Amino acid sequence: MKEDVFYGKGMVHVKKDYPDIYEAVVKLNEAAFTGKALDYKTQKLIALAITASNSDDRAMKKQMMSAIREFGATKDEIVDVLRVVLLTAGNPPFVKAMKILYELEE
Amino acid sequence: MKEDVFYGKGMVHVKKDYPDIYEAVVKLNEAAFTGKALDYKTQKLIALAITASNSDDRAMKKQMMSAIREFGATKDEIVDVLRVVLLTAGNPPFVKAMKILYELEE
Amino acid sequence: MKEDVFYGKGMVHVKKDYPDIYEAVVKLNEAAFTGKALDYKTQKLIALAITASNSDDRAMKKQMMSAIREFGATKDEIVDVLRVVLLTAGNPPFVKAMKILYELEE
Amino acid sequence: MKEDVFYGKGMVHVKKDYPDIYEAVVKLNEAAFTGKALDYKTQKLIALAITASNSDDRAMKKQMMSAIREFGATKDEIVDVLRVVLLTAGNPPFVKAMKILYELEE
Amino acid sequence: MKEDVFYGKGMVHVKKDYPDIYEAVVKLNEAAFTGKALDYKTQKLIALAITASNSDDRAMKKQMMSAIREFGATKDEIVDVLRVVLLTAGNPPFVKAMKILYELEE
Amino acid sequence: MKEDVFYGKGMVHVKKDYPDIYEAVVKLNEAAFTGKALDYKTQKLIALAITASNSDDRAMKKQMMSAIREFGATKDEIVDVLRVVLLTAGNPPFVKAMKILYELEE
């Protein structure tokens, strides 16, 4: 189940052409999100925070959609993530992320 | 209470010499950490994630100490944050953050 | 007056849905651009330099348009900013910024 | 005159061992700081802004010292640069830069 | 020959309007790629690695096309570069780069 | 053999306390450096390029030492990597990396 959440279309090719990389990425995802103390949803919000702070449009959009659809993250929860992005990464990534969030909402 | 958590020694000077900046930073911190849906501790862990993903030694150390001392964050909770850093920001910031965490533990 | 310069369409939603964030951003902008020693236009050019050095397409385009339209920045002034981007951030962000500048000029 | 400002001790070795790189860096510095419209000091402050926004301790310290000693930049001018860093790159690089500035002042 | 490889359309304008910058960029490219010990193709793959690790879509696409068309880089060679990107810069830039590589292949 | 090259002291703790993360990192390293087309040393130089372009002092020093000691990388080979860093990431990370290289040489 986890697998179809994380790996976009690009990874279908990787799985077929470079199975050793694919297995490493699966293992890495499992190690990343099988936390001992934080729940899965919180960890996904952390992944969103990191990609948003890098101003990476596509990656943050993908993380937002995943957080909303797979983990039922609410708009207020995502905005609470982006509040921290504003403080620690500045206004440009915050504005970009809010724009993407409102576009997803529509 | 919040105030003495966030603002290091540098901010003492800012408060005295540049009160308009100080007030803006206070306001920004309040807006950042007065989330509607996520609790304060989770938001602090998100701030740690962002600074750790930037490989910023001092900032991540400060965030870790604050998370542990002010919010009672456990080692496993911080490692769960760093698992996501490993996935989304790569091995160098992860290794650096683990090193700092173990140094703090000693 | 300042307000309609900085805050794009995304901020209209923020103002309505998250007034505390909006107020913090306004305060932050005021503290940022109410410099004591540098004029407003110079500070805007500095904001352009930072967003350009991060290779952030949209943010740098927005800053360029704002610099040109609101502050009458000339092409040579913007290129002088980008010269420093070339030195301190490398050729890829410089080339990207020059491309955007020439597109805006047309 | 410019040359001894920009090139730290490391570049002495480069000049001797890799003269082609040295010449390229000199040329690059000349192209960067021989602006048509902005003066030299403003361009140096822009270089400071970019290195500060990257949270690069040593580089921003070097730029601050150069701005102060070679161009007579005042504390308020540097703080005006850092105001923009706070807005566009977030609180951690701002706090770090202010700390370095106050240490230089002492 | 080198010249038409590196400098995109934007640089045509730069050559005409800002010849001093153009000359500095040419000099910089020559110093960068006239390595003593590594061959030209390896250095181009290194340039690809750096732009890919920054998640810079356009710059990495341009570097990939250049590596493939001018230097005959194979898909496996580029994937070997991206393996290192996965390790040192994380999953998001890796996935983005693989997507671009497969799109170029089609 | 590979294992003692990549994993610093911090990883000793990780192996003991968080074996699932350790295994994922081992797997990731194997997938990263078991390239099909590029040799191991070239891939290590690429890892050096990425960490150097991020101005990450410790990570680039570690990569340089590993490249020199484990793979017999020469000074000229490392400088050829740093030439590309100068072009694609700017002068500050280049100067920092050259400084570290000359310190290692002594």
Side-chain angles (χ1 to χ4, degrees):
Chain A
M1 192 174 65
K2 262 184 200 179
E3 297 187 21
D4 42 292
V5 178
F6 298 115
Y7 315 125
K9 275 173 278 181
M11 289 306 281
V12 176
H13 294 294
V14 174
K15 187 174 187 175
K16 186 170 151 286
D17 296 346
Y18 301 96
D20 65 322
I21 302 180
Y22 182 78
E23 276 172 48
V25 172
V26 170
K27 201 105 186 170
L28 183 60
N29 265 301
E30 283 172 0
F33 290 115
T34 319
K36 290 186 172 182
L38 298 180
D39 59 46
Y40 198 4
K41 182 179 169 180
T42 300
Q43 287 192 307
K44 286 297 287 182
L45 293 177
I46 288 170
L48 167 59
I50 294 172
T51 51
S53 71
N54 291 332
S55 291
D56 188 338
D57 299 47
R58 293 186 199 175
M60 78 172 97
K61 188 177 178 180
K62 216 169 126 188
Q63 294 285 354
M64 271 187 210
M65 293 194 316
S66 164
I68 293 168
R69 291 175 194 172
E70 311 297 332
F71 300 91
T74 64
K75 190 178 150 191
D76 278 354
E77 284 173 326
I78 290 176
V79 171
D80 282 0
V81 171
L82 302 183
R83 288 168 184 267
V84 184
V85 169
L86 173 63
L87 176 68
T88 54
N91 197 49
F94 170 74
V95 169
K96 181 176 284 190
M98 288 302 282
K99 191 168 164 286
I100 291 172
L101 178 60
Y102 276 97
E103 285 168 2
L104 282 178
E105 206 192 13
E106 281 162 22
Chain B
M1 191 174 65
K2 262 183 200 180
E3 296 188 20
D4 42 293
V5 177
F6 296 116
Y7 316 126
K9 274 172 281 181
M11 288 306 281
V12 176
H13 295 294
V14 174
K15 187 174 187 175
K16 186 170 151 287
D17 296 348
Y18 302 96
D20 66 321
I21 301 181
Y22 182 77
E23 275 171 50
V25 172
V26 170
K27 200 107 186 167
L28 182 61
N29 265 301
E30 282 172 1
F33 290 116
T34 318
K36 291 186 174 180
L38 298 179
D39 59 46
Y40 198 3
K41 182 180 170 180
T42 300
Q43 286 191 309
K44 285 299 285 182
L45 294 176
I46 288 170
L48 167 59
I50 293 172
T51 52
S53 71
N54 290 332
S55 290
D56 188 339
D57 299 49
R58 294 186 199 174
M60 78 172 100
K61 188 176 178 180
K62 217 169 125 189
Q63 293 286 353
M64 271 188 210
M65 293 195 315
S66 163
I68 293 169
R69 291 175 193 171
E70 312 297 333
F71 300 91
T74 65
K75 189 178 150 192
D76 279 354
E77 285 174 325
I78 290 176
V79 171
D80 282 0
V81 171
L82 302 183
R83 290 168 183 266
V84 184
V85 169
L86 173 63
L87 176 69
T88 55
N91 197 49
F94 170 74
V95 170
K96 180 174 284 188
M98 287 303 281
K99 193 168 162 287
I100 291 171
L101 177 61
Y102 276 96
E103 285 168 3
L104 282 178
E105 205 192 12
E106 280 164 23
Chain C
M1 190 174 67
K2 262 183 197 180
E3 297 187 22
D4 42 292
V5 177
F6 297 117
Y7 316 125
K9 274 173 279 180
M11 289 306 281
V12 176
H13 294 294
V14 174
K15 187 174 187 175
K16 185 170 151 289
D17 296 348
Y18 301 96
D20 65 322
I21 302 180
Y22 182 77
E23 276 171 49
V25 172
V26 169
K27 200 106 186 167
L28 183 61
N29 264 302
E30 282 172 1
F33 290 115
T34 318
K36 290 187 173 182
L38 298 180
D39 59 46
Y40 198 4
K41 182 179 170 182
T42 300
Q43 286 191 308
K44 286 298 287 181
L45 293 176
I46 288 171
L48 167 59
I50 294 173
T51 52
S53 72
N54 290 332
S55 292
D56 189 339
D57 299 47
R58 292 186 200 174
M60 78 172 98
K61 187 176 178 180
K62 217 168 124 187
Q63 294 285 353
M64 271 187 210
M65 293 193 317
S66 164
I68 294 168
R69 291 175 194 173
E70 311 296 333
F71 300 91
T74 65
K75 190 176 149 194
D76 278 354
E77 284 173 325
I78 290 176
V79 171
D80 282 0
V81 171
L82 302 183
R83 289 167 184 266
V84 184
V85 169
L86 173 63
L87 176 69
T88 55
N91 197 49
F94 170 75
V95 169
K96 180 174 285 190
M98 288 302 280
K99 192 168 163 288
I100 290 171
L101 178 61
Y102 276 96
E103 286 168 2
L104 282 179
E105 205 191 12
E106 280 162 22
Chain D
M1 191 174 63
K2 263 184 200 180
E3 297 187 21
D4 41 294
V5 177
F6 298 115
Y7 316 124
K9 275 172 277 180
M11 289 305 282
V12 176
H13 294 294
V14 174
K15 187 174 188 175
K16 186 170 150 288
D17 296 348
Y18 301 96
D20 65 323
I21 302 180
Y22 182 78
E23 276 171 50
V25 172
V26 170
K27 200 105 186 169
L28 182 60
N29 265 301
E30 283 172 0
F33 290 113
T34 319
K36 291 187 172 181
L38 299 180
D39 59 47
Y40 199 3
K41 182 179 170 182
T42 300
Q43 286 192 307
K44 286 298 286 181
L45 293 176
I46 289 170
L48 167 58
I50 293 172
T51 52
S53 72
N54 290 331
S55 291
D56 189 339
D57 300 47
R58 293 185 199 175
M60 79 172 98
K61 187 177 178 179
K62 218 169 125 187
Q63 294 286 353
M64 271 187 211
M65 294 194 315
S66 164
I68 294 168
R69 291 174 194 172
E70 312 297 333
F71 299 91
T74 65
K75 190 178 150 194
D76 278 354
E77 284 173 325
I78 290 176
V79 171
D80 282 359
V81 171
L82 302 183
R83 289 167 184 268
V84 184
V85 169
L86 173 63
L87 176 69
T88 54
N91 197 50
F94 170 75
V95 170
K96 180 175 282 187
M98 288 302 282
K99 191 167 165 288
I100 291 172
L101 178 61
Y102 276 96
E103 286 168 3
L104 283 178
E105 205 191 12
E106 281 163 21
Chain E
M1 191 173 65
K2 263 183 199 181
E3 295 186 21
D4 41 293
V5 178
F6 298 116
Y7 315 124
K9 274 172 279 180
M11 289 306 280
V12 176
H13 294 294
V14 175
K15 187 174 188 174
K16 186 170 151 288
D17 296 347
Y18 301 96
D20 66 322
I21 302 180
Y22 182 77
E23 275 172 49
V25 172
V26 170
K27 201 107 185 168
L28 182 61
N29 265 302
E30 282 172 1
F33 290 115
T34 318
K36 290 186 171 179
L38 298 180
D39 59 44
Y40 198 4
K41 181 180 170 181
T42 300
Q43 286 192 307
K44 286 297 286 181
L45 293 176
I46 288 170
L48 167 58
I50 293 172
T51 51
S53 72
N54 290 333
S55 291
D56 188 339
D57 299 47
R58 294 186 199 175
M60 78 172 99
K61 186 175 179 180
K62 216 168 127 188
Q63 293 286 354
M64 272 188 210
M65 293 194 317
S66 164
I68 293 168
R69 291 176 193 171
E70 312 296 334
F71 300 91
T74 64
K75 189 177 150 193
D76 278 354
E77 284 173 326
I78 289 175
V79 171
D80 282 0
V81 171
L82 301 184
R83 289 168 184 268
V84 184
V85 169
L86 173 63
L87 176 69
T88 55
N91 198 49
F94 170 74
V95 170
K96 181 175 282 189
M98 288 302 281
K99 191 167 164 287
I100 291 172
L101 177 61
Y102 276 97
E103 285 169 2
L104 281 178
E105 206 191 12
E106 280 162 22
Chain F
M1 192 175 65
K2 263 184 199 179
E3 295 186 22
D4 42 292
V5 177
F6 297 115
Y7 316 125
K9 276 172 279 181
M11 289 307 281
V12 176
H13 294 293
V14 175
K15 187 174 187 175
K16 187 170 150 288
D17 296 347
Y18 301 96
D20 66 322
I21 301 181
Y22 182 77
E23 276 171 50
V25 172
V26 170
K27 200 105 186 170
L28 182 61
N29 265 301
E30 282 172 1
F33 290 115
T34 319
K36 290 186 171 180
L38 299 180
D39 59 46
Y40 199 3
K41 182 180 169 180
T42 300
Q43 286 191 307
K44 286 297 285 181
L45 293 176
I46 288 170
L48 167 59
I50 293 172
T51 51
S53 72
N54 290 331
S55 291
D56 188 341
D57 298 48
R58 294 186 199 175
M60 79 172 97
K61 187 176 179 180
K62 217 169 126 187
Q63 294 285 353
M64 272 188 208
M65 293 194 317
S66 164
I68 294 168
R69 292 175 193 172
E70 313 297 333
F71 300 90
T74 64
K75 189 177 149 192
D76 278 354
E77 284 173 325
I78 289 175
V79 171
D80 282 1
V81 171
L82 301 183
R83 289 168 184 267
V84 184
V85 169
L86 173 63
L87 176 68
T88 55
N91 197 50
F94 170 75
V95 169
K96 181 175 283 189
M98 288 303 281
K99 191 167 165 288
I100 291 172
L101 178 61
Y102 276 96
E103 286 168 2
L104 283 178
E105 206 191 13
E106 280 163 23

